[in-house]
Amino acid sequence: MRHQGRIRKWLAAAAGAAALLSVLPGPAAATADSRAPLAGRYLNLHQCVYLPALGGDFFTVVVPGDDGRFTTGTKASATADADVSCGAGDGNYTTSVPVTWAQTLDLNAGRYLNLHQCVYYSEAQHDHITTVVSLGGGEFSTGTNVSDARDTTPNCGPGRGLYYLVPLLSEVKVLDLSAGRYVNLQQCVYYYGRNGFNDHFTTVAPTTRDGRFTTGTKVSNTVDTAPTCGRGDGNFNLIPLLSGTKALSRT
């Protein structure tokens, strides 16, 4: 009988403790807002366009090459950049504000990164301008976006003044973000210098209609360490110092 009394008291105490625990607050449930953001949720695409003090020779860099004077702030980050970041140039070439721009792309917004490349040319200047960011709309804007739909044709502004669009060199590259961890963004810079004209020309998206100026931009589980560039056309020759690749990791 004594044992039964002790058992009843023990059961009562255990029941009381269980009841107390049942009303104590547990750990807070995780919410969408409390989850740690992906390290590379945003692709901050910085387009730095340089122009010499004299003459018309625009050239574009999107990723850093081996010449740190012409670097850019392109990166994958958990935060969106508010301003464009460009190298200081070499004293002769400095950034051209109207076409120097940064675009932030939310890589969670869809499966595909549709990278639009728009190339313009001026016969009077013997000069190309390449753009890949939206520029907030306008004459040299592009349709670069993240979406669940695949873009099939480049969306480019009409150009301005002496510069008109070159469809042969303009391109859209659809990058499937589910295909790998890294967006390997490649930049190939070519140069023509004859008859008193200087013309730098940049490609970032593979130019399928003119493979002589292609790039290796892609999504992969491996990091590219060097750009894969077309051979040029005999007039425009590749400049390794200004060409480059950057592996942008989402995680």
Side-chain angles (χ1 to χ4, degrees), residues 51-56 91-94:
L51 182 67
L54 298 175
N92 181 29
Y93 283 83
T94 57

Side-chain angles (χ1 to χ4, degrees), residues 14-163:
L20 179 61
L21 289 173
S22 68
V23 298
L24 287 176
T31 66
D33 291 336
S34 67
R35 288 196 299 265
L38 284 174
R41 173 177 176 176
Y42 296 103
L43 169 55
N44 292 298
L45 189 60
H46 292 238
Q47 172 180 289
C48 300
V49 180
Y50 293 86
L51 182 67
L54 298 175
D57 179 20
F58 290 92
F59 81 93
T60 302
V61 293
V62 178
V63 300
D66 289 333
D67 191 333
R69 299 172 297 179
F70 299 101
T71 189
T72 83
T74 293
K75 63 181 181 296
S77 173
T79 58
D81 286 351
D83 299 302
V84 65
S85 175
C86 299
D90 63 357
N92 181 29
Y93 283 83
T94 57
T95 54
S96 175
V97 175
V99 281
T100 292
W101 203 269
Q103 180 179 5
T104 295
L105 297 154
D106 185 347
L107 298 179
N108 285 355
R111 176 173 175 178
Y112 302 107
L113 168 59
N114 294 297
L115 182 66
H116 291 242
Q117 170 181 288
C118 302
V119 179
Y120 303 86
Y121 182 67
S122 167
E123 292 178 352
Q125 299 286 345
H126 287 253
D127 182 47
H128 292 82
I129 299 176
T130 300
T131 59
V132 295
V133 305
S134 71
L135 291 169
E139 295 93 340
F140 296 103
S141 187
T142 82
T144 294
N145 67 88
V146 175
S147 171
D148 282 321
R150 300 170 62 97
D151 291 349
T152 57
T153 56
N155 182 3
C156 300
R160 183 179 64 200
L162 300 173
Y163 288 86

